[in-house]
Amino acid sequence: QGVRGPAAVRVGRPDLLGSQLALAERAGATVADRTRATAWHPDGDGVVVRTADGEVRARRLVLCAGPWTPNLVPSLTAHLTVTRIVNAYFAADPAGPLGPGGLGSFSVELPEGLLYGFPAADGRGLKAGLDSGPAWDPEAARPAATDAELALLARAVKRVLPGAGPVTESLTCLYTMTPDRRFLVGEVPGVPQALLVSACSGHGFKFGPAIGAALADLVCELPRPDLDFLSPARLVPGGVR
């Protein structure tokens, strides 16, 4: 049964997400879209999730709450930072060196932060962002990028990709950041019937299929020692490193 985090919003390409949801429903999942999950607690060897529409009881729970993870897993609140990130599209010819024929996905460590981006492949131009930004409450309004933020990003892009043109459009998003910038995939510390996944630092959409397969194994109690380095327990004293 699918229950999304508070004020959940679909991001990324709707056609891809819609296809994934359709496949889940075809496999027998019940999708409760736009259902606000407000709290959860262990209940014997299962869990209870409280939603705006009532309670959901399950044997296993997978928490995929994005920037609301600190609210739903208080034991990890001190170790997670929700950050407002600015992204922008820059004018670029998709048939030129900044298109997919000359440029792939990239990331470069700069003094301003990690500059990342994608080639001009969809008619909107080169997309780029910096993974630095202010801490943000996911329940608060998220204003558009400021002129100063866009100027900072434009300078970083020009330094790495001087052929990029001016900003054509911009957007903001929220990243859930861990101290080591790695994902969280595994049991909620102290609650083995609840699994947590947070594809931290903005990488989630790209790794969705692999993370989904990993969670399916964990839900079915199949051993995945290869995921130990992503365990949420690493963030608490005495946890996995």
Side-chain angles (χ1 to χ4, degrees), residues 28-45:
T30 299
V31 178
D33 203 9
R34 310 294 176 178
T35 299
R36 184 183 178 97
T38 57
W40 67 278
H41 63 268
D43 182 36
D45 59 357

PDB file of all heavy atoms in Angstrom, residues 28-45:
ATOM      1  N   GLY A  28      -0.283  -5.223  -8.231  1.00  0.00           N
ATOM      2  CA  GLY A  28      -1.129  -5.435  -7.069  1.00  0.00           C
ATOM      3  C   GLY A  28      -1.065  -4.367  -6.004  1.00  0.00           C
ATOM      4  O   GLY A  28      -1.732  -4.478  -4.969  1.00  0.00           O
ATOM      5  N   ALA A  29      -0.268  -3.300  -6.224  1.00  0.00           N
ATOM      6  CA  ALA A  29      -0.160  -2.239  -5.224  1.00  0.00           C
ATOM      7  C   ALA A  29      -1.408  -1.359  -5.240  1.00  0.00           C
ATOM      8  O   ALA A  29      -2.054  -1.179  -6.271  1.00  0.00           O
ATOM      9  CB  ALA A  29       1.070  -1.388  -5.482  1.00  0.00           C
ATOM     10  N   THR A  30      -1.739  -0.814  -4.071  1.00  0.00           N
ATOM     11  CA  THR A  30      -2.787   0.190  -3.957  1.00  0.00           C
ATOM     12  C   THR A  30      -2.109   1.536  -3.741  1.00  0.00           C
ATOM     13  O   THR A  30      -1.370   1.711  -2.770  1.00  0.00           O
ATOM     14  CB  THR A  30      -3.722  -0.105  -2.778  1.00  0.00           C
ATOM     15  OG1 THR A  30      -4.356  -1.372  -2.990  1.00  0.00           O
ATOM     16  CG2 THR A  30      -4.774   0.982  -2.640  1.00  0.00           C
ATOM     17  N   VAL A  31      -2.333   2.477  -4.646  1.00  0.00           N
ATOM     18  CA  VAL A  31      -1.688   3.784  -4.567  1.00  0.00           C
ATOM     19  C   VAL A  31      -2.681   4.796  -4.012  1.00  0.00           C
ATOM     20  O   VAL A  31      -3.721   5.059  -4.623  1.00  0.00           O
ATOM     21  CB  VAL A  31      -1.186   4.233  -5.953  1.00  0.00           C
ATOM     22  CG1 VAL A  31      -0.558   5.625  -5.867  1.00  0.00           C
ATOM     23  CG2 VAL A  31      -0.174   3.227  -6.500  1.00  0.00           C
ATOM     24  N   ALA A  32      -2.382   5.328  -2.841  1.00  0.00           N
ATOM     25  CA  ALA A  32      -3.233   6.356  -2.224  1.00  0.00           C
ATOM     26  C   ALA A  32      -2.586   7.712  -2.501  1.00  0.00           C
ATOM     27  O   ALA A  32      -1.938   8.310  -1.640  1.00  0.00           O
ATOM     28  CB  ALA A  32      -3.363   6.101  -0.725  1.00  0.00           C
ATOM     29  N   ASP A  33      -2.766   8.201  -3.718  1.00  0.00           N
ATOM     30  CA  ASP A  33      -2.085   9.412  -4.154  1.00  0.00           C
ATOM     31  C   ASP A  33      -2.610  10.632  -3.391  1.00  0.00           C
ATOM     32  O   ASP A  33      -3.795  10.750  -3.095  1.00  0.00           O
ATOM     33  CB  ASP A  33      -2.308   9.596  -5.655  1.00  0.00           C
ATOM     34  CG  ASP A  33      -1.244  10.459  -6.293  1.00  0.00           C
ATOM     35  OD1 ASP A  33      -0.253  10.779  -5.618  1.00  0.00           O
ATOM     36  OD2 ASP A  33      -1.416  10.823  -7.470  1.00  0.00           O
ATOM     37  N   ARG A  34      -1.687  11.543  -3.087  1.00  0.00           N
ATOM     38  CA  ARG A  34      -1.989  12.797  -2.373  1.00  0.00           C
ATOM     39  C   ARG A  34      -2.552  12.557  -0.980  1.00  0.00           C
ATOM     40  O   ARG A  34      -3.309  13.382  -0.450  1.00  0.00           O
ATOM     41  CB  ARG A  34      -2.965  13.659  -3.180  1.00  0.00           C
ATOM     42  CG  ARG A  34      -2.573  13.861  -4.637  1.00  0.00           C
ATOM     43  CD  ARG A  34      -1.320  14.667  -4.794  1.00  0.00           C
ATOM     44  NE  ARG A  34      -0.926  14.767  -6.196  1.00  0.00           N
ATOM     45  CZ  ARG A  34       0.124  15.449  -6.622  1.00  0.00           C
ATOM     46  NH1 ARG A  34       0.899  16.067  -5.752  1.00  0.00           N
ATOM     47  NH2 ARG A  34       0.424  15.490  -7.910  1.00  0.00           N
ATOM     48  N   THR A  35      -2.216  11.438  -0.379  1.00  0.00           N
ATOM     49  CA  THR A  35      -2.671  11.153   0.986  1.00  0.00           C
ATOM     50  C   THR A  35      -1.571  11.547   1.964  1.00  0.00           C
ATOM     51  O   THR A  35      -0.465  11.034   1.897  1.00  0.00           O
ATOM     52  CB  THR A  35      -2.998   9.656   1.153  1.00  0.00           C
ATOM     53  OG1 THR A  35      -4.035   9.303   0.253  1.00  0.00           O
ATOM     54  CG2 THR A  35      -3.441   9.354   2.581  1.00  0.00           C
ATOM     55  N   ARG A  36      -1.885  12.459   2.863  1.00  0.00           N
ATOM     56  CA  ARG A  36      -0.888  13.003   3.782  1.00  0.00           C
ATOM     57  C   ARG A  36      -0.647  12.037   4.929  1.00  0.00           C
ATOM     58  O   ARG A  36      -1.568  11.698   5.675  1.00  0.00           O
ATOM     59  CB  ARG A  36      -1.356  14.351   4.309  1.00  0.00           C
ATOM     60  CG  ARG A  36      -0.353  15.055   5.205  1.00  0.00           C
ATOM     61  CD  ARG A  36      -0.944  16.351   5.748  1.00  0.00           C
ATOM     62  NE  ARG A  36      -0.009  17.016   6.643  1.00  0.00           N
ATOM     63  CZ  ARG A  36       0.809  17.995   6.280  1.00  0.00           C
ATOM     64  NH1 ARG A  36       0.786  18.424   5.033  1.00  0.00           N
ATOM     65  NH2 ARG A  36       1.631  18.549   7.139  1.00  0.00           N
ATOM     66  N   ALA A  37       0.600  11.603   5.085  1.00  0.00           N
ATOM     67  CA  ALA A  37       0.997  10.774   6.225  1.00  0.00           C
ATOM     68  C   ALA A  37       1.523  11.690   7.322  1.00  0.00           C
ATOM     69  O   ALA A  37       2.450  12.471   7.104  1.00  0.00           O
ATOM     70  CB  ALA A  37       2.080   9.786   5.802  1.00  0.00           C
ATOM     71  N   THR A  38       0.914  11.628   8.497  1.00  0.00           N
ATOM     72  CA  THR A  38       1.259  12.567   9.566  1.00  0.00           C
ATOM     73  C   THR A  38       2.105  11.951  10.661  1.00  0.00           C
ATOM     74  O   THR A  38       2.833  12.661  11.360  1.00  0.00           O
ATOM     75  CB  THR A  38      -0.012  13.146  10.192  1.00  0.00           C
ATOM     76  OG1 THR A  38      -0.830  12.068  10.688  1.00  0.00           O
ATOM     77  CG2 THR A  38      -0.811  13.936   9.161  1.00  0.00           C
ATOM     78  N   ALA A  39       2.036  10.625  10.847  1.00  0.00           N
ATOM     79  CA  ALA A  39       2.801   9.985  11.914  1.00  0.00           C
ATOM     80  C   ALA A  39       2.749   8.475  11.704  1.00  0.00           C
ATOM     81  O   ALA A  39       1.929   7.962  10.931  1.00  0.00           O
ATOM     82  CB  ALA A  39       2.246  10.339  13.289  1.00  0.00           C
ATOM     83  N   TRP A  40       3.628   7.766  12.402  1.00  0.00           N
ATOM     84  CA  TRP A  40       3.604   6.304  12.370  1.00  0.00           C
ATOM     85  C   TRP A  40       4.218   5.805  13.667  1.00  0.00           C
ATOM     86  O   TRP A  40       4.929   6.536  14.369  1.00  0.00           O
ATOM     87  CB  TRP A  40       4.394   5.773  11.163  1.00  0.00           C
ATOM     88  CG  TRP A  40       5.872   6.029  11.253  1.00  0.00           C
ATOM     89  CD1 TRP A  40       6.529   7.192  10.935  1.00  0.00           C
ATOM     90  CD2 TRP A  40       6.861   5.123  11.736  1.00  0.00           C
ATOM     91  NE1 TRP A  40       7.859   7.071  11.184  1.00  0.00           N
ATOM     92  CE2 TRP A  40       8.105   5.809  11.661  1.00  0.00           C
ATOM     93  CE3 TRP A  40       6.842   3.809  12.202  1.00  0.00           C
ATOM     94  CZ2 TRP A  40       9.305   5.216  12.059  1.00  0.00           C
ATOM     95  CZ3 TRP A  40       8.039   3.217  12.591  1.00  0.00           C
ATOM     96  CH2 TRP A  40       9.244   3.911  12.513  1.00  0.00           C
ATOM     97  N   HIS A  41       3.904   4.551  14.022  1.00  0.00           N
ATOM     98  CA  HIS A  41       4.510   3.967  15.211  1.00  0.00           C
ATOM     99  C   HIS A  41       4.513   2.448  15.089  1.00  0.00           C
ATOM    100  O   HIS A  41       3.663   1.857  14.398  1.00  0.00           O
ATOM    101  CB  HIS A  41       3.772   4.399  16.483  1.00  0.00           C
ATOM    102  CG  HIS A  41       2.352   3.933  16.547  1.00  0.00           C
ATOM    103  ND1 HIS A  41       1.301   4.688  16.085  1.00  0.00           N
ATOM    104  CD2 HIS A  41       1.805   2.781  17.019  1.00  0.00           C
ATOM    105  CE1 HIS A  41       0.172   4.033  16.262  1.00  0.00           C
ATOM    106  NE2 HIS A  41       0.442   2.867  16.823  1.00  0.00           N
ATOM    107  N   PRO A  42       5.480   1.795  15.756  1.00  0.00           N
ATOM    108  CA  PRO A  42       5.488   0.326  15.763  1.00  0.00           C
ATOM    109  C   PRO A  42       4.252  -0.196  16.470  1.00  0.00           C
ATOM    110  O   PRO A  42       3.730   0.429  17.400  1.00  0.00           O
ATOM    111  CB  PRO A  42       6.764  -0.022  16.540  1.00  0.00           C
ATOM    112  CG  PRO A  42       7.577   1.224  16.563  1.00  0.00           C
ATOM    113  CD  PRO A  42       6.609   2.357  16.516  1.00  0.00           C
ATOM    114  N   ASP A  43       3.771  -1.349  16.021  1.00  0.00           N
ATOM    115  CA  ASP A  43       2.607  -1.983  16.625  1.00  0.00           C
ATOM    116  C   ASP A  43       2.858  -3.487  16.639  1.00  0.00           C
ATOM    117  O   ASP A  43       2.551  -4.184  15.674  1.00  0.00           O
ATOM    118  CB  ASP A  43       1.346  -1.643  15.833  1.00  0.00           C
ATOM    119  CG  ASP A  43       0.088  -2.245  16.456  1.00  0.00           C
ATOM    120  OD1 ASP A  43       0.021  -2.300  17.693  1.00  0.00           O
ATOM    121  OD2 ASP A  43      -0.798  -2.666  15.693  1.00  0.00           O
ATOM    122  N   GLY A  44       3.430  -3.977  17.733  1.00  0.00           N
ATOM    123  CA  GLY A  44       3.815  -5.382  17.787  1.00  0.00           C
ATOM    124  C   GLY A  44       4.902  -5.661  16.773  1.00  0.00           C
ATOM    125  O   GLY A  44       5.922  -4.968  16.731  1.00  0.00           O
ATOM    126  N   ASP A  45       4.673  -6.650  15.906  1.00  0.00           N
ATOM    127  CA  ASP A  45       5.653  -6.937  14.868  1.00  0.00           C
ATOM    128  C   ASP A  45       5.321  -6.224  13.561  1.00  0.00           C
ATOM    129  O   ASP A  45       5.911  -6.504  12.519  1.00  0.00           O
ATOM    130  CB  ASP A  45       5.764  -8.440  14.625  1.00  0.00           C
ATOM    131  CG  ASP A  45       4.428  -9.057  14.200  1.00  0.00           C
ATOM    132  OD1 ASP A  45       3.424  -8.325  14.156  1.00  0.00           O
ATOM    133  OD2 ASP A  45       4.416 -10.275  13.925  1.00  0.00           O
TER     134      ASP A  45
END
